[in-house]
Amino acid sequence: RIIPDLEHPRQRYDRARIAMLTRSVGNYGMVSPPIAEEIGPREYKIVVGHRRLLAALFAGMEDLEVKITGKLSPLERLEVQIHEDSQVAFTPWKRAEALCRLYEMKCELESEFANRGERRQAKRYTYSEFCNFMGISESRFRNSRNYFYNLIDEVKVAVQEGRISYPKAVWI
């Protein structure tokens, strides 16, 4: 049994793009299989490849190759999802939200190590260290973080629902 990751940063899918992907998968098969982690006996959670899995199901594929990985921490799962989705159609809004969430998780993890008295040096990730790890510019991360935290809640909801674009939300 395969279930979706309900915490995945991308929650909305463009129907037209899913239809195009479904035709492609139907015609050429799965070029890059989804990745899932085992969460129980014969039970798996999709880490990346939600769109590909949907397209394969819509294309009527009964047998599907899925790469299985070991158990991932929430931090590891989010890192993989951000890296995978940054290659595809990650909206600026979702990327900003996911990057901010990942940054906070990394900082919390460091605090947990410090609180347990582990040898790791207690520190908060600097923007520079985080950006280097993620392979993004510091200015891009600072802008994403500022936009994410400074948008009015009503505007955030409008962007999430697709009623206004992210650039327009920033302008507001």
Side-chain angles (χ1 to χ4, degrees):
R1 184 181 124 165
I2 298 177
I3 61 171
D5 180 2
L6 300 178
E7 298 289 317
H8 192 281
R10 191 186 326 174
Q11 297 292 318
R12 295 184 181 277
Y13 301 102
D14 182 292
R15 289 179 190 210
R17 293 183 82 168
I18 292 290
M20 285 176 26
L21 185 57
T22 299
R23 283 190 297 279
S24 175
V25 167
N27 291 334
Y28 308 109
M30 186 72 63
V31 175
S32 177
I35 298 173
E37 67 176 312
E38 188 170 5
I39 58 173
R42 299 179 49 83
E43 188 169 44
Y44 305 91
K45 181 190 290 187
I46 293 292
V47 178
V48 294
H50 291 79
R51 291 175 57 248
R52 285 171 273 171
L53 180 62
L54 272 175
L57 294 172
F58 290 151
M61 294 178 75
E62 293 181 15
D63 293 322
L64 178 65
E65 177 187 355
V66 176
K67 290 184 180 178
I68 305 298
T69 184
K71 184 73 175 143
L72 300 173
S73 71
L75 177 69
E76 292 168 324
R77 188 177 311 108
L78 185 58
E79 286 174 358
V80 170
Q81 291 168 338
I82 289 173
H83 280 295
E84 170 83 6
D85 270 347
S86 66
Q87 316 275 321
V88 205
F90 218 0
T91 64
W93 166 260
K94 276 300 174 188
R95 182 164 179 77
E97 181 180 32
L99 283 170
C100 290
R101 198 167 92 211
L102 181 61
Y103 178 76
E104 295 303 323
M105 288 173 78
K106 283 190 154 302
C107 291
E108 287 171 19
L109 184 62
E110 287 301 322
S111 294
E112 286 177 29
F113 284 129
N115 291 339
R116 291 195 303 244
E118 293 189 19
R119 291 184 186 191
R120 294 173 65 137
Q121 182 180 352
K123 67 170 185 162
R124 192 159 167 87
Y125 271 88
T126 65
Y127 286 159
S128 180
E129 291 168 325
F130 179 75
C131 293
N132 187 43
F133 172 77
M134 292 302 297
I136 59 174
S137 72
E138 196 170 332
S139 62
R140 181 177 179 185
F141 176 63
R142 285 183 186 277
N143 287 340
S144 293
R145 194 168 161 79
N146 288 338
Y147 295 152
F148 177 71
Y149 285 116
N150 293 330
L151 287 179
I152 301 166
D153 287 339
E154 293 171 56
V155 175
K156 285 181 185 177
V157 170
V159 171
Q160 289 172 326
E161 292 175 349
R163 290 185 281 130
I164 62 171
S165 69
Y166 181 73
K168 190 172 208 168
V170 171
W171 183 81
I172 292 173

